[in-house]
Amino acid sequence: MKLHRILAAFILSASLMNIYAQNPVREFRGAWLHTVWQTQYKSRSTEANKKALIQQLDSLHKAGINAVFFQVRPQADAFYNSKIEPWSCYLTEAGKAPVPFWDPLEFVIEECHARGMELHAWLNPYRVTSNARQIASLPKNHIYHKHPERFLRYDGKLYFDPGLPENREFIGRVVEDIIRRYDVDGIHFDDYFYPYPVKGKEFPDSKSYARYGKGMKRADWRRHNVDLLIEEIHTRIASVKPWVRFGVSPFGIYRNKKSDPKGSDTNGLENYDSLYADVLLWENKGWVDYLMPQLYWELDHKSASYRVLIDWWNNNVSNRHLYIGEDVARTMKTPDSDGNPTQLARKVDMARKAENIQGVCWWPGYSVCSNIGGVADSLSRTWQSTPALVPSYPWISDKTPSPVENIRPINTREFKWKQSATTGSADDVVKYAIYRFESRSEINLSKPGALVDVITQTEYKASQPGVYVVTALSRVNNESAPSNPIVIGL
């Protein structure tokens, strides 16, 4: 019997390996790089930070990642040159600009785009400090010192009061400042809205509730406050740069069945009831372009099964994109029920087979870079071994770019083409996809393995002989028809 189980596991593994040798051409593959609670940025010099980020982005690119989420506002501060909020305490001392000067957000945008990767600026909306000690050390130019009445203390931490309209306006202004001054591909909020509840401690928002509650139940009023913030961010982005996507990565449980018959068969903290985040409403209203629930549990976790939750989210999100947040350590250090040493194959298989799931995002990206459990090796060799295009966003624009023109050789292994014109719209061409085929008769953009690179330049150096075509990609990842083919013989 044991031999039969081993043989079955081997057959399954071989089957999955064959499936993923033909990776999808379109798939979102993200990685989170958080800065909150990180000490390495402050301890390193400017040049050392740049070198470390280059190494990390190289590692992520090699592992098939096509979108990076860089945390630029960990707690009402900035990993960029902001005129609104002080420099982050996780980057410099006392809100002072780094010396020698550098702008981490600007740097990471340039490095990601140079690799054909997207960069989503990740912000935490309400958090101001992570402990009581940090309150006393907030820089003098922090908004807290100018308007302390707009903040609340809870469990020793400081938060913007979500019930105040002026706080929503301020957070919206921070987001608008970023998208106006930086070439970001997306704005991203994580799971922290109202703070995670502490048993026996009520969030102290009675004053703003009395002023703005207008007879609503407090829980409904709190959800309404977050709804207003999400709508505010959506509206600002759409009015300034509509091609910038806005997405949220909520806690993995929306509601349990015991709270709502339509909820998941789970038993854990709930977005809707504990964090006051009605994420399904935002998706239905079109206020977000994607949801990325954090399904950080094991496949058969007793209280929050990954199997149960991925199916629930797939069945409940279809109006906008759905990506799955994956925990690297739990995925790579836990065997599956088929005898495989990790749960990677099963999780990727389930995400790819689900009708309404367009990709995944790995938490944390640093664990991919350090190859925890061999995850980077597995991704680069098998599960993400070929490049993938980020899915398109047709509700922003469904216009197809014009085909690449004037493709011509530079020498026996390099070729170039004409730069596409830009107009400052969602339809601007910002990247090019390179496809390789054995012959002209094989040209088919959906063929697995044909996509070999995604670049921003207008010339390419081939590493293999073959027939190459180039397509143009717009800001929202709409793709042109292929160029005329060019034969590279090396």
Side-chain angles (χ1 to χ4, degrees):
M1 184 66 70
K2 183 177 180 180
L3 180 60
H4 288 160
R5 287 199 301 269
I6 293 173
L7 181 59
F10 175 79
I11 293 172
L12 172 67
S13 178
S15 174
L16 289 173
M17 290 285 282
N18 182 59
I19 290 171
Y20 295 116
Q22 302 182 19
N23 294 310
V25 176
R26 287 270 183 179
E27 183 174 56
F28 192 92
R29 300 171 181 171
W32 282 287
L33 293 179
H34 60 294
T35 56
V36 69
W37 310 313
Q38 300 301 296
T39 60
Q40 69 265 31
Y41 292 98
K42 185 185 290 188
S43 66
R44 292 188 299 231
S45 68
T46 294
E47 287 308 310
N49 270 316
K50 290 181 177 180
K51 182 178 180 181
L53 282 167
I54 286 172
Q55 291 173 342
Q56 289 163 356
L57 295 176
D58 282 343
S59 296
L60 293 174
H61 185 251
K62 183 179 179 182
I65 300 300
N66 56 22
V68 172
F69 295 81
F70 186 61
Q71 193 174 34
V72 301
R73 187 183 188 254
Q75 45 186 49
D77 53 10
F79 261 72
Y80 61 98
N81 190 19
S82 173
K83 301 298 187 290
I84 301 174
E85 295 185 302
W87 287 95
S88 176
C89 66
Y90 297 106
L91 180 66
T92 67
E93 295 288 351
K96 296 179 181 178
V99 179
F101 180 84
W102 73 303
D103 186 321
L105 176 56
E106 181 180 59
F107 179 80
V108 173
I109 290 171
E110 291 176 356
E111 292 295 328
C112 282
H113 288 176
R115 292 162 176 77
M117 302 159 73
E118 292 191 346
L119 188 284
H120 294 235
W122 167 16
L123 299 82
N124 185 287
Y126 298 129
R127 181 175 59 210
V128 180
T129 68
S130 297
N131 54 55
R133 177 180 51 80
Q134 289 180 334
I135 298 175
S137 61
L138 287 173
K140 292 181 180 179
N141 62 336
H142 197 284
I143 188 176
Y144 169 71
H145 294 302
K146 187 176 182 179
H147 294 289
E149 74 281 0
R150 289 164 56 175
F151 297 83
L152 299 173
R153 298 192 186 206
Y154 180 67
D155 193 34
K157 304 164 188 174
L158 192 67
Y159 298 89
F160 283 91
D161 184 346
L164 299 180
E166 55 267 40
N167 284 343
R168 291 192 290 273
E169 190 279 334
F170 179 82
I171 296 166
R173 188 152 50 90
V174 169
V175 170
E176 184 172 332
D177 176 60
I178 291 174
I179 63 174
R180 283 190 183 278
R181 295 195 296 118
Y182 294 91
D183 189 20
V184 296
D185 299 289
I187 293 291
H188 181 72
F189 284 179
D190 53 12
D191 53 318
Y192 293 95
F193 291 99
Y194 275 79
Y196 277 72
V198 177
K199 189 175 182 180
K201 294 185 179 182
E202 179 64 26
F203 189 67
D205 57 356
S206 296
K207 187 177 292 186
S208 54
Y209 176 55
R211 184 176 180 183
Y212 295 107
K214 297 180 180 179
M216 299 174 69
K217 292 181 180 179
R218 187 173 294 201
D220 291 335
W221 172 73
R222 287 175 175 172
R223 274 186 290 273
H224 182 60
N225 292 332
V226 185
D227 294 344
L228 289 172
L229 174 68
I230 298 300
E231 185 179 19
E232 166 94 3
I233 302 303
H234 164 74
T235 301
R236 284 182 181 261
I237 293 173
S239 67
V240 178
K241 288 182 180 176
W243 60 83
V244 173
R245 277 88 72 197
F246 177 37
V248 175
S249 56
F251 182 74
I253 299 173
Y254 176 69
R255 298 193 88 186
N256 300 306
K257 270 190 176 180
K258 65 182 181 182
S259 300
D260 184 343
K262 296 180 180 179
S264 55
D265 190 11
T266 51
N267 184 27
L269 183 137
E270 301 161 301
N271 269 293
Y272 186 90
D273 301 272
S274 298
L275 306 180
Y276 305 100
D278 190 357
V279 297
L280 293 189
L281 174 70
W282 310 341
E283 186 257 353
N284 288 328
K285 291 284 189 180
W287 294 340
V288 294
D289 296 297
Y290 64 84
L291 290 178
M292 195 152 66
Q294 300 172 17
L295 304 193
Y296 290 169
W297 300 279
E298 297 85 356
L299 287 166
D300 300 302
H301 189 282
K302 184 178 180 180
S303 300
S305 162
Y306 180 96
R307 296 181 195 271
V308 169
L309 284 165
I310 194 172
D311 185 59
W312 187 90
W313 284 99
N314 179 61
N315 291 334
N316 285 275
V317 175
S318 58
N319 190 46
R320 290 294 185 260
H321 282 182
L322 175 62
Y323 316 133
I324 301 300
E326 308 278 5
D327 181 271
V328 171
R330 290 192 179 189
T331 297
M332 300 308 296
K333 295 182 178 181
T334 309
D336 67 18
S337 57
D338 298 303
N340 295 303
T342 80
Q343 297 190 348
L344 181 62
R346 275 295 180 195
K347 287 185 174 182
V348 174
D349 183 41
M350 294 175 75
R352 286 182 175 171
K353 285 181 177 177
E355 180 181 3
N356 294 317
I357 295 174
Q358 290 87 17
V360 298
C361 189
W362 300 98
W363 166 261
Y366 302 118
S367 292
V368 176
C369 296
S370 57
N371 200 25
I372 296 294
V375 64
D377 292 339
S378 295
L379 293 176
S380 63
R381 293 172 182 170
T382 306
W383 322 119
Q384 296 179 174
S385 61
T386 54
L389 304 181
V390 172
S392 63
Y393 299 79
W395 53 88
I396 299 176
S397 174
D398 60 0
K399 184 177 179 181
T400 301
S402 298
V404 167
E405 297 179 340
N406 196 21
I407 188 166
R408 59 203 185 277
I410 299 174
N411 52 47
T412 58
R413 63 190 308 166
E414 294 179 276
F415 55 95
K416 62 182 180 179
W417 53 92
K418 182 181 178 181
Q419 175 76 48
S420 300
T422 58
T423 60
S425 74
D427 302 316
D428 283 346
V429 171
V430 292
K431 293 192 291 284
Y432 301 93
I434 314 296
Y435 294 83
R436 176 191 169 276
F437 303 94
E438 293 294 335
S439 65
R440 292 173 185 268
S441 63
E442 279 190 2
I443 295 176
N444 176 2
L445 300 187
S446 62
K447 180 182 177 182
L451 178 66
V452 294
D453 216 339
V454 179
I455 63 175
T456 54
Q457 302 86 0
T458 57
E459 57 183 61
Y460 187 73
K461 185 176 184 178
S463 59
Q464 287 182 281
V467 177
Y468 287 81
V469 298
V470 180
T471 62
L473 299 166
S474 72
R475 291 186 182 276
V476 291
N477 299 302
N478 292 328
E479 185 176 21
S480 74
S483 68
N484 290 329
I486 185 167
V487 178
I488 299 296
L490 296 180

